[in-house]
Amino acid sequence: MAGWARAVRGLLLDVSGVLYDSGADGGVPIAGSAEAVRRIKASGLKLRLCTNETQATRENFVKKLQGMGFDVSVSEVTAPAPAACHILKERGLRPHLLVHDDLVPEFAEIDKTNPNCVVLGDAAENFTYANLNEAFRVLIGMEKPVLISLGRGRYYKETDGLKLDVGAYMKALEYACDVQAEVVGKPSKRFFESALAEMGVLAEQTFRRKPPRREA
Amino acid sequence: MAGWARAVRGLLLDVSGVLYDSGADGGVPIAGSAEAVRRIKASGLKLRLCTNETQATRENFVKKLQGMGFDVSVSEVTAPAPAACHILKERGLRPHLLVHDDLVPEFAEIDKTNPNCVVLGDAAENFTYANLNEAFRVLIGMEKPVLISLGRGRYYKETDGLKLDVGAYMKALEYACDVQAEVVGKPSKRFFESALAEMGVLAEQTFRRKPPRREA
């Protein structure tokens, strides 16, 4: 065992492209990955799934993974929406949400009346002309627009082709409002730090496995 | 008459906000503007309307102006779509169009088979999730993506509220494809130069009247 490996106390794992490949029926597990997760946990290492998934609540995300044979729980997942909720509460922000329908429950306990920020996720079919104009109007109506973006991906692949990711829409709103979004999710350092804090380990005690870069 | 005024041979006029204010029924003429256009033409000065209008063909744009009492003709209008057609022909580009339905006839004589560029206008209701993904896929499929944007406005006001303008969607596609759009229309220098060439006057012989800046 290499020297660095002996110091490792926990692992941060990407999920899509590492544990499973997305596809038609929610995806297929990558061969050996469920067994790897089992062995990691059996070894006493701490484990945390670090995902930019914003098309489902953590509950549903974990259900999907469990259905593929992964022994994981909601408490082992770090995702942008809960991290954003933490920021919203901390700063007294009331979001106007432009997110996927399936993500909305993550914000159930957040006050959304009289919004003073916009939270943007991969809204997919909710990225309509009307919804984009509405989010824009909320932002431009603020003295100092606050735009929180759940990730900044450019695009991703689904079975029916490539799709623009949240980052593209983030750029549209940034330009229209002359504002810079606060990105919550990978690759934000703060996002990784909260994952570490939740695991209770230090950065130098972790190992993060990520797949080969597939997109710009 | 001031010294500079004696040298003037032609005028470039903005239209929306200078000759008329947009509004519910296509807009209302600004008091005195139709008479001003008449006097400019009677004086022997050359006149050219320089607009970023991309929600209508020049024909329909001019019909609207004539209906408001302006003595103007199609040949006096410089607009992004015809300027883009000039570029497309010059460079052998075949566009995938993401524009307003009412602008499509401006591209009637352009070969659009097997696209090797994307032309983006203020598509308004045509800015759907599906259409944006489609334009993105055409771009990202090119060895060297060519994106031509008819203007780069951030937003504008309509009677039912503010709307994101073409520039916001341009930024989304620029980011997703890591490409810089070529902007045709104001404030591109080349656009003003073609307006001058069409009038047959030099830059120092013209006077351009523009309204106070209303948006960022």
Side-chain angles (χ1 to χ4, degrees):
Chain A
M1 187 183 275
W4 64 263
R6 273 191 292 274
V8 168
R9 295 280 174 273
L11 288 93
L12 292 184
L13 295 187
D14 271 7
V15 186
S16 173
V18 171
L19 297 188
Y20 75 98
D21 275 326
S22 32
D25 302 315
V28 287
I30 292 172
S33 57
E35 173 61 15
V37 167
R38 208 169 354 260
R39 286 173 60 188
I40 289 165
K41 295 177 92 160
S43 76
L45 286 168
K46 297 201 174 178
L47 174 71
R48 196 138 192 104
L49 307 183
C50 205
T51 177
N52 266 9
E53 171 68 45
T54 62
Q55 288 205 358
T57 57
R58 275 173 306 173
E59 280 70 16
N60 286 329
F61 183 61
V62 162
K63 264 184 212 154
K64 183 172 81 170
L65 292 174
Q66 288 171 341
M68 292 185 207
F70 292 101
D71 171 24
V72 292
S73 66
V74 170
S75 65
E76 289 168 320
V77 174
T78 298
C85 286
H86 186 76
I87 292 172
L88 296 171
K89 282 177 191 164
E90 202 175 63
R91 288 163 51 187
L93 292 171
R94 301 176 306 276
H96 169 91
L97 299 176
L98 178 46
V99 301
H100 197 283
D101 284 346
D102 294 344
L103 193 71
V104 173
E106 290 278 20
F107 297 88
E109 289 174 22
I110 300 288
D111 180 7
K112 292 176 282 285
T113 57
N114 188 19
N116 57 3
C117 77
V118 166
V119 170
L120 188 70
D122 177 15
E125 302 290 344
N126 280 346
F127 280 133
T128 63
Y129 181 59
N131 286 348
L132 283 162
N133 282 331
E134 194 186 353
F136 162 67
R137 282 178 212 135
V138 171
L139 275 176
I140 204 76
M142 295 173 198
E143 196 178 343
K144 193 180 175 306
V146 175
L147 174 60
I148 294 177
S149 187
L150 307 179
R152 63 172 193 199
R154 293 170 190 262
Y155 60 90
Y156 55 88
K157 192 175 183 172
E158 288 201 330
T159 41
D160 57 344
L162 296 175
K163 305 278 173 77
L164 289 170
D165 200 356
V166 61
Y169 294 95
M170 175 191 86
K171 287 289 172 184
L173 291 174
E174 282 188 340
Y175 177 71
C177 302
D178 197 18
V179 67
Q180 185 152 17
E182 302 175 36
V183 178
V184 178
K186 297 179 284 185
S188 147
K189 192 181 175 196
R190 182 175 167 160
F191 187 68
F192 288 117
E193 285 170 349
S194 40
L196 295 180
E198 288 156 358
M199 271 204 299
V201 302
L202 302 171
E204 54 269 32
Q205 296 172 329
T206 62
F207 179 64
R208 178 169 171 260
R209 166 82 177 93
K210 60 176 291 191
R213 201 155 180 79
R214 294 185 182 184
E215 51 141 55
Chain B
M1 187 185 271
W4 63 263
R6 276 191 290 272
V8 168
R9 295 281 172 272
L11 288 93
L12 292 184
L13 294 187
D14 271 7
V15 185
S16 172
V18 171
L19 298 189
Y20 75 99
D21 275 326
S22 34
D25 301 314
V28 288
I30 291 173
S33 58
E35 173 60 15
V37 167
R38 207 170 354 259
R39 285 174 59 188
I40 289 165
K41 294 177 94 159
S43 75
L45 284 168
K46 297 201 175 179
L47 174 72
R48 197 138 190 103
L49 307 183
C50 204
T51 177
N52 266 8
E53 171 68 45
T54 62
Q55 287 205 0
T57 58
R58 275 174 306 173
E59 281 70 16
N60 286 329
F61 183 60
V62 162
K63 262 184 214 155
K64 184 173 80 170
L65 292 173
Q66 289 170 342
M68 290 186 210
F70 292 101
D71 171 26
V72 291
S73 66
V74 170
S75 65
E76 289 168 319
V77 175
T78 298
C85 286
H86 185 77
I87 292 172
L88 295 171
K89 283 178 190 161
E90 201 175 65
R91 288 162 53 186
L93 292 171
R94 301 176 306 276
H96 170 91
L97 299 177
L98 178 46
V99 301
H100 197 283
D101 285 345
D102 294 343
L103 193 71
V104 173
E106 290 277 19
F107 297 88
E109 290 175 19
I110 301 289
D111 179 9
K112 291 178 281 286
T113 57
N114 188 22
N116 57 3
C117 77
V118 167
V119 169
L120 189 69
D122 176 15
E125 301 290 344
N126 279 346
F127 280 133
T128 63
Y129 181 60
N131 285 349
L132 283 163
N133 281 333
E134 194 186 353
F136 162 67
R137 282 178 212 135
V138 171
L139 275 176
I140 203 76
M142 296 173 198
E143 196 178 342
K144 192 178 175 309
V146 176
L147 173 60
I148 294 177
S149 187
L150 306 180
R152 64 172 193 198
R154 293 169 190 263
Y155 60 88
Y156 55 88
K157 191 173 183 176
E158 289 199 332
T159 42
D160 57 343
L162 296 174
K163 305 279 173 77
L164 289 169
D165 200 356
V166 61
Y169 294 96
M170 175 190 86
K171 286 290 172 184
L173 291 175
E174 281 188 341
Y175 177 72
C177 301
D178 197 17
V179 68
Q180 185 152 15
E182 303 173 34
V183 177
V184 179
K186 298 178 286 184
S188 147
K189 191 181 174 193
R190 182 175 168 159
F191 187 68
F192 288 117
E193 285 170 349
S194 37
L196 295 181
E198 287 157 359
M199 270 203 299
V201 301
L202 302 172
E204 53 270 33
Q205 297 173 330
T206 62
F207 179 65
R208 178 170 169 260
R209 166 83 178 93
K210 61 175 290 193
R213 202 154 181 80
R214 293 183 184 186
E215 50 141 58

